Structure formats: structure tokens, C-alpha cells
């Protein structure tokens, strides 16, 4: 394990060196009620005239998509819809959307929806302008051509895909989630409009909110500290602790919705700078294998991973404990860190996410653990995940 840790740190040092040479990222978002219309105006001002909107049928049926994009039509932009995105979008869906984009001759892509729609929008934009198989881009910085501008209007508050350069696409043959990350996939601008997440069902509010919390915590305890990763993640955690329970119990509370959409955006900025960690490494396996929604998988795994790395991340966890108002002035770092881990489980319970899933099968543990360890080794984590620990965590998640 010592050698593996040394190798991991060496690889990360090299990656960090390379990352520091990538072009700086511009973050741009319109926020508040009516900001979707502002974004539509911005797209027109940027000279776009033909826009592919990538979304899902459910949002179309609810009228949310028309609400989000009416500002494109009213400004004379020719719009075509691809509404075939399903949860955990696949490469097959990406290719379908790319065909529509080519036939339409779109000069920009707008993702409207949750993480699945925004991730699909990014990879569709790249696939429609290339003859390459998008499966070849799995990994970091593999896209070598110019990609049309991508815009995002999230309708949930969790994934942060509106402010990250990555997209998660499922390889349906292998039943595994793959990540394509490239600076050219960074959305040019986003709209964080609470009018579009009002009334989102409590279960989706809970799951997506815990995804945002996981992003913020994993970024805060990361081995790396780049750009605004610490300040963005602490701003997100503060907002989530104050507003996620309200958004969950009172779905039409505009202040809570607006605060959660900002929190997801800040958390997305943080992971765009330092990536995620071992929680996602395990949760991705549960999503890929069993279709457990990403936020639920993260919420189940998060306290266990924090427990696993509590010694290595004690100071950071203690800071987060103070941030959310735990402990007293004479509490030790160890007490604050412990209280913070307990508070994460308490928040998960409060918003109705179960700690275990009956979908997870004991006979899959070994294979899932191996994949999680492999994925975790690519993240800037303070403590490398090992198979025994991953198996132990999976046991605790299994009914
Ligand atoms: Fe996530």
C-alpha cells in the first residue's frame, strides 16, 4: 500500500503540473428568477441563430422546456429539440442527438434539465462535429477539434454540470459509467433560474442536493487546493445545510430554490478545479451496475468514506464542522470532525434518503470494489482507497 500511495502521489504531481498549463476557465452564470430569458438573450447576442436543445421527454411534457427556451424563439433563433435523454445517458443517445444536430446545422447546443441532459448536451456537441467515436474520448483532454458553444439551464440543483468541463456517459454494453473531461466541453454560460426548479419532487430535491454536498465536501478535503476550490466549496456547504431541508419540505420556496441552485453551481466550480474523490469512485459503480440514482448513491457512501479518511482530513472536517455551527469554542478538531460526519448522516436521514439499498448484491462486491479502487486512484484524494475498505463499505450499504 505504501508503494501504491507513493505512485499515486507521483502521478498526481505530474497531473497537477499538466493541469496548471491548461487554459484558464471562464465561469459565467445568470442567476435569479427570469435568468433563463437573460441567457437566451446572451446566446442571441453571441450571434447564434440555430440552437439544438438537449433535454428529456418528462421536462417537455411538464412545459418546463418551453418555459426555459421561449426566449430563444422570441428572439428569432431556429430551435430543434432532442428530447431522447434518459437518466444515465448512453453513447447511443449521444449519437442520436448528434445526428439531429448535424441535420439541423446547429451552431450552439443548450442543455436543459438535470445532469443527464447537460452531460449529454456536451458530448453531443463534440460528437456532431467529429467523425470520431465518442467512446475514444473517455478520459482527460482527448478531444482535439473545435466544439460549438455549449450553454446550460439546470432544472435540478445538484450535478453542477453547468459549470464543469466533464460529462458522464454510460457504456451500456459494459454497464459502466465513463467520464469525458475536456476544457472544450466547459459551458460558455448558464442560467440558474429558480422558476424552473420550483415544485421539483422532494425525492429528487434530496438526491440532487446530496450530490452537490458530496461535490463540495470532496473538493474541500481534496489533496489539491486550486483557484477558488476551498471558498466555493465552503459557500456551497453553508447554503446546503441551511436550505436543502427547506427546499425538500417546501418545494415552492423561492429563496431555498435559488440558494440551492447557487450551491450546486459553487460546488460544481469547486470540483471543476480539484475533481471529486472516493465517494464518487464507489457511487459511480452503484449507478453503473444497478441504476441507483447518482445523488442517492453518493448520500449512502459519503459518511463511510469520511469515516475512512477521518484521520487524514481531520483539520478540514473540523473546519466544516465549525462552518455549519457544530461544537463549542473548546471543542477539539477530532470532536468537530466527528460531529461533522454525524451531521452528514443526520442530514441524509432528515431528507429521507435510506442508508442502504436492496439492489446491491453481495456477489458483486468484489468486482465493484476493484472498479472503485481503480477509479479512486485517479482522484486527488488524501487517502487511497483499497479493496478491503471498499468491500467493507459495500457490506454496510447492502441489506
Ligand atoms: Fe456527482
Amino acid at each position: 500500500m505504501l508503494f501504491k500511495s507513493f505512485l499515486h502521489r507521483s502521478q498526481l504531481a505530474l497531473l497537477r503540473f499538466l493541469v496548471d498549463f491548461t487554459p484558464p476557465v471562464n465561469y459565467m452564470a445568470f442567476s435569479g428568477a427570469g435568468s433563463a430569458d437573460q441567457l437566451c438573450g446572451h446566446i442571441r447576442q453571441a450571434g447564434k441563430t440555430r440552437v439544438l436543445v438537449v433535454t428529456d421527454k418528462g421536462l417537455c411534457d411538464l412545459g418546463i422546456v418551453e418555459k426555459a427556451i421561449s426566449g430563444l424563439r422570441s428572439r428569432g433563433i431556429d430551435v430543434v429539440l432532442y428530447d431522447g435523454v434518459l437518466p444515465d445517458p448512453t453513447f447511443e443517445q449521444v449519437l442520436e442527438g448528434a445526428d439531429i444536430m448535424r441535420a439541423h446545422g446547429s451552431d450552439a447546443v443548450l442543455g436543459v434539465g438535470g445532469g443527464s441532459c447537460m452531460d449529454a448536451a456536451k458530448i453531443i456537441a463534440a460528437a456532431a462535429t467529429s467523425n470520431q467515436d465518442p467512446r475514444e474520448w473517455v478520459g482527460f483532454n482527448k478531444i482535439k477539434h473545435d466544439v460549438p458553444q455549449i450553454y446550460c439551464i439546470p432544472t435540478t440543483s445538484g450535478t453542477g454540470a453547468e459549470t464543469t468541463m466533464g460529462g458522464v456517459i454510460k457504456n451500456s454494453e459494459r454497464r459502466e459509467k465513463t467520464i469525458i473531461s475536456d476544457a472544450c466541453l466547459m459551458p460558455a454560460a448558464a442560467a440558474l433560474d429558480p422558476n424552473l426548479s420550483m415544485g421539483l419532487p422532494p425525492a429528487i430535491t434530496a438526491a440532487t442536493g446530496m450530490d452537490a454536498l458530496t461535490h463540495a465536501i470532496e473538493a474541500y478535503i481534496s489533496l489539491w487546493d486550486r483557484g477558488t476550490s476551498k471558498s466555493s466549496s465552503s459557500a456551497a456547504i453553508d447554503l446546503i445545510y441551511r436550505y436543502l431541508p427547506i427546499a425538500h419540505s417546501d418545494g415552492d420556496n423561492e429563496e431555498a430554490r435559488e440558494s440551492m441552485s447557487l450551491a450546486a453551481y459553487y460546488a460544481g466550480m469547486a470540483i471543476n478545479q480539484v475533481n471529486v474523490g472516493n465517494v464518487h469512485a464507489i457511487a459511480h459503480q452503484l449507478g453503473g451496475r444497478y441504476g441507483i440514482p447518482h445523488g442517492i448513491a453518493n448520500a449512502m457512501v459519503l459518511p463511510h468514506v469520511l469515516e475512512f479518511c477521518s484521520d487524514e482530513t481531520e483539520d478540514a472536517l473540523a473546519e466544516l464542522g465549525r462552518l455549519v455551527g457544530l461544537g463549542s469554542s473548546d471543542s477539539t478538531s477530532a470532536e468537530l470532525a466527528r460531529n461533522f460526519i454525524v451531521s452528514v448522516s443526520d442530514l441524509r436521514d432528515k431528507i429521507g434518503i435510506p442508508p442502504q439499498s436492496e439492489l446491491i448484491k453481495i456477489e458483486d462486491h468484489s468486482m465493484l470494489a476493484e472498479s472503485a479502487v481503480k477509479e479512486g486512484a485517479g482522484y486527488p484524494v488524501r487517502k487511497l482507497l483499497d479493496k478491503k475498505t471498499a468491500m467493507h463499505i459495500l457490506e454496510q450499504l447492502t441489506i
Side-chain angles (χ1 to χ4, degrees), residues 10 23 48 61 68 74 118 135 141 163 197 200 219 222 237 263 329 349 351 359 371 373:
S10 307
K48 309 302 175 193
D61 292 346
S74 67
M118 293 187 282
R135 293 169 188 86
N141 273 354
T163 184
S197 58
L200 193 70
S222 170
I237 292 165
S329 55
D349 294 344
I351 57 174
L359 296 173
S371 300
V373 167

Side-chain angles (χ1 to χ4, degrees), residues 96-173:
E96 268 179 19
D99 283 345
I100 293 174
M101 183 170 173
R102 274 194 210 98
H104 180 241
S106 322
D107 52 14
V109 178
L110 172 62
V112 178
S116 297
C117 295
M118 293 187 282
D119 284 353
K122 293 175 186 177
I123 314 303
I124 286 171
T129 46
S130 167
N131 291 324
Q132 273 185 287
D133 183 335
R135 293 169 188 86
E136 292 174 27
W137 301 328
V138 171
F140 188 66
N141 273 354
K142 302 260 182 80
I143 301 174
K144 302 297 176 201
H145 66 284
D146 288 338
V147 174
Q149 283 195 306
I150 299 157
Y151 300 92
C152 287
I153 303 182
T155 59
T156 61
S157 301
T159 166
E162 66 276 15
T163 184
T164 65
M165 58 176 83
V168 180
I169 303 295
K170 187 172 174 177
N171 184 320
S172 41
E173 287 153 27

Side-chain angles (χ1 to χ4, degrees), residues 211 215 280 294 298:
D211 185 28
H215 294 162
H280 276 73
H294 179 63
N298 274 336

Side-chain angles (χ1 to χ4, degrees), residues 282-304:
I282 298 174
H284 281 150
Q285 315 314 318
L286 301 177
R289 185 75 187 168
Y290 307 114
I292 297 175
H294 179 63
I296 299 212
N298 274 336
M300 292 193 305
V301 176
L302 180 57
H304 299 291

